[in-house]
Amino acid sequence: MTRDAENPPILEVSGLDAFYGPAQAVFGVSFTVRPGEAVALVGRNGAGKSTTLKAIIGLIERQAAGLIFSGHDIRAMPTHAVARLGLGYVPEERRIFTDLTVAENLEVGRLPVRGGRDAWTPARLYEIFPNLAMMAGRSAGRMSGGEQQMLAIARTLMGNPDAVLLDEPSEGLSPLIVEQMAVAIQRMQQDGLAIVLSEQNVAFAAEIATRAVLLESGVVTFDGPMADLLQRDHDAG
Amino acid sequence: MTLLVVSGLSKAFGGVVAARDVSFTVARGELVALIGPNGAGKSTTFNMVGGQLAPDAGSVMLDGAPITGLAPRAIWRLGVGRTFQIAQAFVSMTAAENVAVAVQSAARRSFGLAGSAQREGRDVALVLLEAVGLTKVADHVVATLAYGDIKRVELAIALAGAPKLLLMDEPTAGMARGERHALMEQVAALARTRGLGVLFTEHDMDAVFGHADRVLALVAGKIVAEGTPAAVQADEAVQRLYLGASGARIAKAAGVRRGAP
Amino acid sequence: MSPPRNAAFTQVHPTMSLAFVLTQFLNGLAGAASLFIVASGLTIVFGVTRIVNFAHGSLYMLGAYVAVTLMAPLLDVSRSLPMFLLGLVVAALVTGLLGVAMEMLLLRRIYRSPELLQLLVTFGLVLVVQDLVIRVWGPLEILGPRAPGLKGAISVLGTPFPTYDLFVIAMGLAVFCGVWLLLFRTRFGVLVRAATQDRDMVAALGVNQARLFTGALFLGAALAGLGGALQIPRAAASPQMDIAVLTDAFVVTVIGGMGSVPGAALAALLIGQLNAFGIVVAPKSTLVLVFLLMAVVLVVRPQGLLGRPEPLALRVVMPEGFIGLAPMTARGRQVIAGVLAVLVALPLVADAYTLKVAIEVYVLALAAFALAFLIGNGGLVSFGHAAYFGIGAYGAGLAVKKLGLGMEPALVLAPLAGALAAAAFGFFIARLSGIYLAMLTLAVAQIAYAAGVQWVDVTGGDNGIVGVWPARWAANRVVYYYLTLALSAAGIAVLTCVLHAPFGYALRAARDSAVRADAIGLDVVALRRLAFVVAGAAAGLAGGLYAFSKGSIDPTLLAIPQSVDFLAMLLMGGLQHVAGALVGAAALHVLRDFVLPLTDMWRMLLGALIIGIVLVAPQGIVGGVLRWAPRFARGGPS
């Protein structure tokens, strides 16, 4: 517990409701993440994982009892302001700018560095994602799914975030690429970043996250150590 | 008896090959699942069969007649109903009206300038809604229904043309777990009783290995494995390229549940 | 390089000498340069904000007026080319700032509104600016100064070619290079291009959308202003130049592809040359050639030459338009019977003037209801509804004056004329959807308007056709009142039947989900074509009735302001309700009748009204009534 006191949460979500137009998709979701911690939101397709992430970053309508990032109340903040506080977002389906080159995609994500960390530069990112280096000048639309996913993560890192929301990073990728992705995410975590991962692939989530938040029909039904969730599933089925 | 014969379908977008030399068949009363990672060409293959995309090469035969490259509406008239990954229904209408519009289309009444669209075909629509378990919400506007129910409305719409073949793109995506199983049971029952061929794509391994008669595994636009669920699940290439350790475990569990009495 | 002149060819076609070809080519380039400068601004703003800014024409006009105002004092300082250039730049910057004000005060509030409402707001702005310009600069044209140092002409193989046009060509090239560098070599440009593709993602990466949009509006407006300022040595600044240039810019962006700057350049070049050489083929109307080019391009590539197809809208959203059509209730029948009884009894108590207004309301209500059929039920946003109304009126008028027919056959020909025009235009329009469809409806309506003005032999030009009087038996105002009431009510009743018929449902199904409609065997394009024909016939009948009520016809019946009136009626009454168009037609026309004698700023008032409704009460009168008095809902007429 003393460690928790020294390391207060960077993101605190409490009582989050999220809406698609008139329809509510997420009901009173609460959880916290500390710097360097990786939390996985797990649950079925349509359980509200992606919606929760979109609501935190402000891409869809939301209400919350509390939504605090880095000490700021972000409930009424527009998306770009939340991102500028250091909360990165890697969307599902990657949403890279296919009309732009790889280098231009990185440029869109560039934000000034906060705090004492070294700023991410394209050169540093190309070290982690060597595939990207080879195609820096190429149109991003002509990359494979795995390469696009790497670009999506690299693009978010260009904003020098303190925490990253990763929406289904393993979806649709071959196991080989998923392994590379896991390594890259673990590296980000070692760098001190907080990670919130939305993931259907529980095996992949377990590789990265130590804590799991289980969502079912828009409601949190489990919040605790990943090992406990796996054990529970094992016992149940 | 073979209903659908797909041979040598290929499609490229720009330089990216989305499907190469894809061949398979679907028989009447048979549920065939198309699995594979995102971007493997499932939807492309699907859309080439349904007419939403024209193939670069290859042919599609339905009941012995070529349907390659026909418009979706022509393919529908020849007996192919389909549902979409993201449910496509007429949101401003009630469930019964949704199905009735399809019934009117099948009767070539859609250009009728007189008559009542609410009454025409309503009896047939109600029967179809009953078949998918939606009798209670027949007169509810679709926009107010739960997503799982909208998917069922879509299924009823697809059935309105008395199809021989049903194309279902991720039929259970976005549904609750319990609903998924019930929907797939319903589809399987429809296939058996009506002699429908069903081709579906699915990420949900429970749905695939619990309900399909045959599974096709597509990776990078090519079919890498084909056969019974057990055979495909045991296939080394499929395990390596798609299922991974956790997927294989789920697939096996689904297969075991299915095999159990 | 230059081949020897072909003497034989020159003899057969004296005009097709090499010098002629070259000067026409240069003329074409000059036209292309002007078009590109304006259209590139429109396309950039659309790319980033996804709003087709109808007020782009207004900014162009403001650029011209600002330049006219600035040039005199500037050239007084020193009558030199640099001063002229300075004037151009300042005019562009001032217009750019006006664009910024527009974005911050207005557009910012409607980025998330439905497409139709966005279009209406920017059109409201067009109306407001028109009256403002007249108020500030007066209604008369203002001639600008010639550019010092660019007067006169140079000789092109012996044929004179205006020096200033060469300058315009150079400016077009400079703007193209400048915009290209900006888009491909600066961070702002990278962000603009990224936002054109996915603006939410750009925001999630920490880019302030509001600032980006403001920047795009500044750039777009400045380009419009520069385009307007460049025109003043060639053509006077006038309060009508906004709509004229808007149509041109629409045609360029639709052909080139919305959001594509290279597309705009390519389309401008094509249209410039088509205009220049088209006069050899069709000396009177190159407009027809441009329309044909647009038609061909849209048939082959609906997204324009270099545009990207809109991704299929695979989502479940409630469209802007009619929601459900409940069968008529007993209460609804009572309400309708009551209203009809009052209208039938009206001549017993009303004076002649009230009857005149009532006749106009019925006619407009029928036409507006036809538009509601297209927009509310079909999702087909038509900005050119006046075309079918006006063509119906001309059809009736010409039947009487040129064919010597009586009122009765003329009133049969009017809906036929409207339906025929709608079939011809709808053939192309129905292939498109969304914003492209809206822009094409406006463009083809402008063709009809141009024909009304220019085809003097048939239409009488600006003077129109006079002496279109009803038959003797219907000449009495009360009789004509009942005739209009009967035919309008019948038209509305027929349209209502069609709404409830399988066709009406199939059309609405195609609106809700075109993909799903296609997958159940519905021919979406054919459905939409028929919808245009049905609506065109009803609007044509309204036009015919209108012609006989007025006794005369002129091209304003075909013009954009008339189309906007119909849209404003729908908006005012409420887009989601079948009765909205009828209530809106009555409300707007009565309001106009009441206000018009009091002010000469009707346009500004109408524009402000449109903007106000969208911002404050987008559900309109009927929607408002239903919301505040839910008991009405059960008895309402739908």
PDB file of all heavy atoms in Angstrom, chain C residues 408-435:
ATOM      1  N   GLU C 408     -57.466  24.351 -69.179  1.00  0.00           N
ATOM      2  CA  GLU C 408     -57.596  22.960 -68.756  1.00  0.00           C
ATOM      3  C   GLU C 408     -56.472  22.081 -69.304  1.00  0.00           C
ATOM      4  O   GLU C 408     -55.782  21.417 -68.527  1.00  0.00           O
ATOM      5  CB  GLU C 408     -58.974  22.396 -69.119  1.00  0.00           C
ATOM      6  CG  GLU C 408     -60.141  23.118 -68.465  1.00  0.00           C
ATOM      7  CD  GLU C 408     -60.602  24.345 -69.252  1.00  0.00           C
ATOM      8  OE1 GLU C 408     -59.848  24.794 -70.151  1.00  0.00           O
ATOM      9  OE2 GLU C 408     -61.695  24.861 -68.980  1.00  0.00           O
ATOM     10  N   PRO C 409     -56.264  22.073 -70.649  1.00  0.00           N
ATOM     11  CA  PRO C 409     -55.122  21.282 -71.135  1.00  0.00           C
ATOM     12  C   PRO C 409     -53.787  21.804 -70.615  1.00  0.00           C
ATOM     13  O   PRO C 409     -52.863  21.023 -70.374  1.00  0.00           O
ATOM     14  CB  PRO C 409     -55.209  21.397 -72.656  1.00  0.00           C
ATOM     15  CG  PRO C 409     -56.156  22.487 -72.941  1.00  0.00           C
ATOM     16  CD  PRO C 409     -57.065  22.629 -71.761  1.00  0.00           C
ATOM     17  N   ALA C 410     -53.693  23.115 -70.409  1.00  0.00           N
ATOM     18  CA  ALA C 410     -52.433  23.669 -69.893  1.00  0.00           C
ATOM     19  C   ALA C 410     -52.145  23.120 -68.500  1.00  0.00           C
ATOM     20  O   ALA C 410     -50.997  22.852 -68.158  1.00  0.00           O
ATOM     21  CB  ALA C 410     -52.507  25.195 -69.866  1.00  0.00           C
ATOM     22  N   LEU C 411     -53.209  22.951 -67.700  1.00  0.00           N
ATOM     23  CA  LEU C 411     -53.000  22.424 -66.348  1.00  0.00           C
ATOM     24  C   LEU C 411     -52.703  20.922 -66.369  1.00  0.00           C
ATOM     25  O   LEU C 411     -52.283  20.360 -65.365  1.00  0.00           O
ATOM     26  CB  LEU C 411     -54.210  22.714 -65.462  1.00  0.00           C
ATOM     27  CG  LEU C 411     -54.286  24.154 -64.927  1.00  0.00           C
ATOM     28  CD1 LEU C 411     -55.511  24.337 -64.050  1.00  0.00           C
ATOM     29  CD2 LEU C 411     -53.020  24.517 -64.162  1.00  0.00           C
ATOM     30  N   VAL C 412     -52.958  20.287 -67.511  1.00  0.00           N
ATOM     31  CA  VAL C 412     -52.514  18.895 -67.662  1.00  0.00           C
ATOM     32  C   VAL C 412     -51.053  18.867 -68.106  1.00  0.00           C
ATOM     33  O   VAL C 412     -50.266  18.029 -67.673  1.00  0.00           O
ATOM     34  CB  VAL C 412     -53.405  18.146 -68.679  1.00  0.00           C
ATOM     35  CG1 VAL C 412     -52.865  16.747 -68.938  1.00  0.00           C
ATOM     36  CG2 VAL C 412     -54.838  18.097 -68.181  1.00  0.00           C
ATOM     37  N   LEU C 413     -50.715  19.837 -68.977  1.00  0.00           N
ATOM     38  CA  LEU C 413     -49.337  19.872 -69.475  1.00  0.00           C
ATOM     39  C   LEU C 413     -48.338  20.278 -68.391  1.00  0.00           C
ATOM     40  O   LEU C 413     -47.190  19.839 -68.403  1.00  0.00           O
ATOM     41  CB  LEU C 413     -49.232  20.848 -70.646  1.00  0.00           C
ATOM     42  CG  LEU C 413     -49.687  20.305 -71.998  1.00  0.00           C
ATOM     43  CD1 LEU C 413     -49.555  21.381 -73.067  1.00  0.00           C
ATOM     44  CD2 LEU C 413     -48.841  19.090 -72.378  1.00  0.00           C
ATOM     45  N   ALA C 414     -48.767  21.122 -67.449  1.00  0.00           N
ATOM     46  CA  ALA C 414     -47.842  21.619 -66.422  1.00  0.00           C
ATOM     47  C   ALA C 414     -47.197  20.480 -65.630  1.00  0.00           C
ATOM     48  O   ALA C 414     -45.963  20.406 -65.556  1.00  0.00           O
ATOM     49  CB  ALA C 414     -48.562  22.604 -65.501  1.00  0.00           C
ATOM     50  N   PRO C 415     -47.986  19.568 -65.044  1.00  0.00           N
ATOM     51  CA  PRO C 415     -47.324  18.468 -64.331  1.00  0.00           C
ATOM     52  C   PRO C 415     -46.517  17.570 -65.264  1.00  0.00           C
ATOM     53  O   PRO C 415     -45.476  17.049 -64.856  1.00  0.00           O
ATOM     54  CB  PRO C 415     -48.483  17.687 -63.692  1.00  0.00           C
ATOM     55  CG  PRO C 415     -49.712  18.157 -64.357  1.00  0.00           C
ATOM     56  CD  PRO C 415     -49.447  19.544 -64.860  1.00  0.00           C
ATOM     57  N   LEU C 416     -46.987  17.441 -66.518  1.00  0.00           N
ATOM     58  CA  LEU C 416     -46.205  16.631 -67.456  1.00  0.00           C
ATOM     59  C   LEU C 416     -44.840  17.265 -67.699  1.00  0.00           C
ATOM     60  O   LEU C 416     -43.813  16.575 -67.724  1.00  0.00           O
ATOM     61  CB  LEU C 416     -46.953  16.485 -68.789  1.00  0.00           C
ATOM     62  CG  LEU C 416     -48.118  15.502 -68.788  1.00  0.00           C
ATOM     63  CD1 LEU C 416     -48.791  15.478 -70.155  1.00  0.00           C
ATOM     64  CD2 LEU C 416     -47.607  14.104 -68.438  1.00  0.00           C
ATOM     65  N   ALA C 417     -44.839  18.599 -67.864  1.00  0.00           N
ATOM     66  CA  ALA C 417     -43.565  19.295 -68.087  1.00  0.00           C
ATOM     67  C   ALA C 417     -42.652  19.115 -66.880  1.00  0.00           C
ATOM     68  O   ALA C 417     -41.458  18.820 -67.019  1.00  0.00           O
ATOM     69  CB  ALA C 417     -43.817  20.775 -68.353  1.00  0.00           C
ATOM     70  N   GLY C 418     -43.230  19.285 -65.679  1.00  0.00           N
ATOM     71  CA  GLY C 418     -42.427  19.108 -64.465  1.00  0.00           C
ATOM     72  C   GLY C 418     -41.877  17.695 -64.370  1.00  0.00           C
ATOM     73  O   GLY C 418     -40.699  17.490 -64.041  1.00  0.00           O
ATOM     74  N   ALA C 419     -42.714  16.710 -64.674  1.00  0.00           N
ATOM     75  CA  ALA C 419     -42.283  15.314 -64.590  1.00  0.00           C
ATOM     76  C   ALA C 419     -41.203  15.008 -65.618  1.00  0.00           C
ATOM     77  O   ALA C 419     -40.221  14.317 -65.328  1.00  0.00           O
ATOM     78  CB  ALA C 419     -43.484  14.382 -64.799  1.00  0.00           C
ATOM     79  N   LEU C 420     -41.376  15.568 -66.817  1.00  0.00           N
ATOM     80  CA  LEU C 420     -40.401  15.322 -67.884  1.00  0.00           C
ATOM     81  C   LEU C 420     -39.034  15.907 -67.508  1.00  0.00           C
ATOM     82  O   LEU C 420     -37.997  15.242 -67.647  1.00  0.00           O
ATOM     83  CB  LEU C 420     -40.912  15.957 -69.179  1.00  0.00           C
ATOM     84  CG  LEU C 420     -40.452  15.302 -70.468  1.00  0.00           C
ATOM     85  CD1 LEU C 420     -40.969  13.879 -70.555  1.00  0.00           C
ATOM     86  CD2 LEU C 420     -40.918  16.135 -71.667  1.00  0.00           C
ATOM     87  N   ALA C 421     -39.062  17.139 -67.007  1.00  0.00           N
ATOM     88  CA  ALA C 421     -37.800  17.768 -66.584  1.00  0.00           C
ATOM     89  C   ALA C 421     -37.176  16.956 -65.454  1.00  0.00           C
ATOM     90  O   ALA C 421     -35.962  16.709 -65.444  1.00  0.00           O
ATOM     91  CB  ALA C 421     -38.059  19.203 -66.135  1.00  0.00           C
ATOM     92  N   ALA C 422     -38.009  16.523 -64.512  1.00  0.00           N
ATOM     93  CA  ALA C 422     -37.483  15.757 -63.386  1.00  0.00           C
ATOM     94  C   ALA C 422     -36.933  14.416 -63.854  1.00  0.00           C
ATOM     95  O   ALA C 422     -35.942  13.921 -63.312  1.00  0.00           O
ATOM     96  CB  ALA C 422     -38.576  15.541 -62.339  1.00  0.00           C
ATOM     97  N   ALA C 423     -37.562  13.846 -64.881  1.00  0.00           N
ATOM     98  CA  ALA C 423     -37.050  12.576 -65.404  1.00  0.00           C
ATOM     99  C   ALA C 423     -35.687  12.786 -66.043  1.00  0.00           C
ATOM    100  O   ALA C 423     -34.763  11.991 -65.838  1.00  0.00           O
ATOM    101  CB  ALA C 423     -38.031  11.999 -66.420  1.00  0.00           C
ATOM    102  N   ALA C 424     -35.550  13.877 -66.816  1.00  0.00           N
ATOM    103  CA  ALA C 424     -34.277  14.150 -67.490  1.00  0.00           C
ATOM    104  C   ALA C 424     -33.183  14.459 -66.474  1.00  0.00           C
ATOM    105  O   ALA C 424     -32.097  13.876 -66.509  1.00  0.00           O
ATOM    106  CB  ALA C 424     -34.445  15.316 -68.468  1.00  0.00           C
ATOM    107  N   PHE C 425     -33.462  15.379 -65.556  1.00  0.00           N
ATOM    108  CA  PHE C 425     -32.451  15.747 -64.548  1.00  0.00           C
ATOM    109  C   PHE C 425     -32.223  14.580 -63.584  1.00  0.00           C
ATOM    110  O   PHE C 425     -31.090  14.254 -63.237  1.00  0.00           O
ATOM    111  CB  PHE C 425     -32.899  16.979 -63.758  1.00  0.00           C
ATOM    112  CG  PHE C 425     -32.953  18.242 -64.565  1.00  0.00           C
ATOM    113  CD1 PHE C 425     -33.621  19.363 -64.091  1.00  0.00           C
ATOM    114  CD2 PHE C 425     -32.330  18.323 -65.804  1.00  0.00           C
ATOM    115  CE1 PHE C 425     -33.667  20.535 -64.832  1.00  0.00           C
ATOM    116  CE2 PHE C 425     -32.377  19.494 -66.553  1.00  0.00           C
ATOM    117  CZ  PHE C 425     -33.050  20.599 -66.066  1.00  0.00           C
ATOM    118  N   GLY C 426     -33.326  13.972 -63.161  1.00  0.00           N
ATOM    119  CA  GLY C 426     -33.230  12.908 -62.174  1.00  0.00           C
ATOM    120  C   GLY C 426     -32.433  11.711 -62.674  1.00  0.00           C
ATOM    121  O   GLY C 426     -31.834  10.987 -61.887  1.00  0.00           O
ATOM    122  N   PHE C 427     -32.419  11.541 -63.995  1.00  0.00           N
ATOM    123  CA  PHE C 427     -31.655  10.431 -64.555  1.00  0.00           C
ATOM    124  C   PHE C 427     -30.210  10.480 -64.076  1.00  0.00           C
ATOM    125  O   PHE C 427     -29.631   9.455 -63.706  1.00  0.00           O
ATOM    126  CB  PHE C 427     -31.700  10.495 -66.088  1.00  0.00           C
ATOM    127  CG  PHE C 427     -30.956   9.377 -66.753  1.00  0.00           C
ATOM    128  CD1 PHE C 427     -31.558   8.139 -66.914  1.00  0.00           C
ATOM    129  CD2 PHE C 427     -29.649   9.545 -67.178  1.00  0.00           C
ATOM    130  CE1 PHE C 427     -30.867   7.093 -67.508  1.00  0.00           C
ATOM    131  CE2 PHE C 427     -28.952   8.509 -67.776  1.00  0.00           C
ATOM    132  CZ  PHE C 427     -29.565   7.281 -67.942  1.00  0.00           C
ATOM    133  N   PHE C 428     -29.635  11.692 -64.059  1.00  0.00           N
ATOM    134  CA  PHE C 428     -28.251  11.843 -63.589  1.00  0.00           C
ATOM    135  C   PHE C 428     -28.190  11.987 -62.074  1.00  0.00           C
ATOM    136  O   PHE C 428     -27.369  11.361 -61.411  1.00  0.00           O
ATOM    137  CB  PHE C 428     -27.612  13.076 -64.232  1.00  0.00           C
ATOM    138  CG  PHE C 428     -27.519  12.976 -65.725  1.00  0.00           C
ATOM    139  CD1 PHE C 428     -28.381  13.683 -66.536  1.00  0.00           C
ATOM    140  CD2 PHE C 428     -26.581  12.143 -66.312  1.00  0.00           C
ATOM    141  CE1 PHE C 428     -28.291  13.580 -67.912  1.00  0.00           C
ATOM    142  CE2 PHE C 428     -26.485  12.032 -67.682  1.00  0.00           C
ATOM    143  CZ  PHE C 428     -27.350  12.750 -68.486  1.00  0.00           C
ATOM    144  N   ILE C 429     -29.094  12.820 -61.554  1.00  0.00           N
ATOM    145  CA  ILE C 429     -29.029  13.135 -60.123  1.00  0.00           C
ATOM    146  C   ILE C 429     -29.139  11.868 -59.278  1.00  0.00           C
ATOM    147  O   ILE C 429     -28.413  11.693 -58.297  1.00  0.00           O
ATOM    148  CB  ILE C 429     -30.168  14.108 -59.749  1.00  0.00           C
ATOM    149  CG1 ILE C 429     -29.957  15.462 -60.431  1.00  0.00           C
ATOM    150  CG2 ILE C 429     -30.247  14.292 -58.244  1.00  0.00           C
ATOM    151  CD1 ILE C 429     -31.139  16.406 -60.315  1.00  0.00           C
ATOM    152  N   ALA C 430     -30.036  10.955 -59.685  1.00  0.00           N
ATOM    153  CA  ALA C 430     -30.338   9.800 -58.846  1.00  0.00           C
ATOM    154  C   ALA C 430     -29.159   8.840 -58.725  1.00  0.00           C
ATOM    155  O   ALA C 430     -29.151   7.971 -57.866  1.00  0.00           O
ATOM    156  CB  ALA C 430     -31.553   9.063 -59.399  1.00  0.00           C
ATOM    157  N   ARG C 431     -28.176   8.995 -59.602  1.00  0.00           N
ATOM    158  CA  ARG C 431     -27.000   8.121 -59.486  1.00  0.00           C
ATOM    159  C   ARG C 431     -26.135   8.515 -58.309  1.00  0.00           C
ATOM    160  O   ARG C 431     -25.292   7.751 -57.872  1.00  0.00           O
ATOM    161  CB  ARG C 431     -26.169   8.197 -60.765  1.00  0.00           C
ATOM    162  CG  ARG C 431     -26.881   7.661 -61.978  1.00  0.00           C
ATOM    163  CD  ARG C 431     -25.981   7.780 -63.176  1.00  0.00           C
ATOM    164  NE  ARG C 431     -24.777   6.990 -63.016  1.00  0.00           N
ATOM    165  CZ  ARG C 431     -24.614   5.771 -63.512  1.00  0.00           C
ATOM    166  NH1 ARG C 431     -25.566   5.227 -64.218  1.00  0.00           N
ATOM    167  NH2 ARG C 431     -23.504   5.117 -63.323  1.00  0.00           N
ATOM    168  N   LEU C 432     -26.318   9.740 -57.832  1.00  0.00           N
ATOM    169  CA  LEU C 432     -25.466  10.233 -56.754  1.00  0.00           C
ATOM    170  C   LEU C 432     -26.196  10.132 -55.423  1.00  0.00           C
ATOM    171  O   LEU C 432     -27.363   9.776 -55.359  1.00  0.00           O
ATOM    172  CB  LEU C 432     -25.094  11.693 -57.010  1.00  0.00           C
ATOM    173  CG  LEU C 432     -24.481  11.980 -58.375  1.00  0.00           C
ATOM    174  CD1 LEU C 432     -24.086  13.420 -58.468  1.00  0.00           C
ATOM    175  CD2 LEU C 432     -23.268  11.090 -58.609  1.00  0.00           C
ATOM    176  N   SER C 433     -25.469  10.483 -54.363  1.00  0.00           N
ATOM    177  CA  SER C 433     -26.143  10.549 -53.076  1.00  0.00           C
ATOM    178  C   SER C 433     -25.483  11.627 -52.243  1.00  0.00           C
ATOM    179  O   SER C 433     -24.440  12.165 -52.602  1.00  0.00           O
ATOM    180  CB  SER C 433     -26.085   9.191 -52.367  1.00  0.00           C
ATOM    181  OG  SER C 433     -24.753   8.799 -52.224  1.00  0.00           O
ATOM    182  N   GLY C 434     -26.140  11.958 -51.147  1.00  0.00           N
ATOM    183  CA  GLY C 434     -25.584  12.899 -50.178  1.00  0.00           C
ATOM    184  C   GLY C 434     -25.286  14.254 -50.778  1.00  0.00           C
ATOM    185  O   GLY C 434     -26.075  14.827 -51.521  1.00  0.00           O
ATOM    186  N   ILE C 435     -24.100  14.721 -50.461  1.00  0.00           N
ATOM    187  CA  ILE C 435     -23.720  16.086 -50.784  1.00  0.00           C
ATOM    188  C   ILE C 435     -23.577  16.283 -52.301  1.00  0.00           C
ATOM    189  O   ILE C 435     -23.920  17.327 -52.850  1.00  0.00           O
ATOM    190  CB  ILE C 435     -22.410  16.422 -50.036  1.00  0.00           C
ATOM    191  CG1 ILE C 435     -22.293  17.916 -49.866  1.00  0.00           C
ATOM    192  CG2 ILE C 435     -21.197  15.883 -50.692  1.00  0.00           C
ATOM    193  CD1 ILE C 435     -23.174  18.400 -48.773  1.00  0.00           C
TER     194      ILE C 435
END
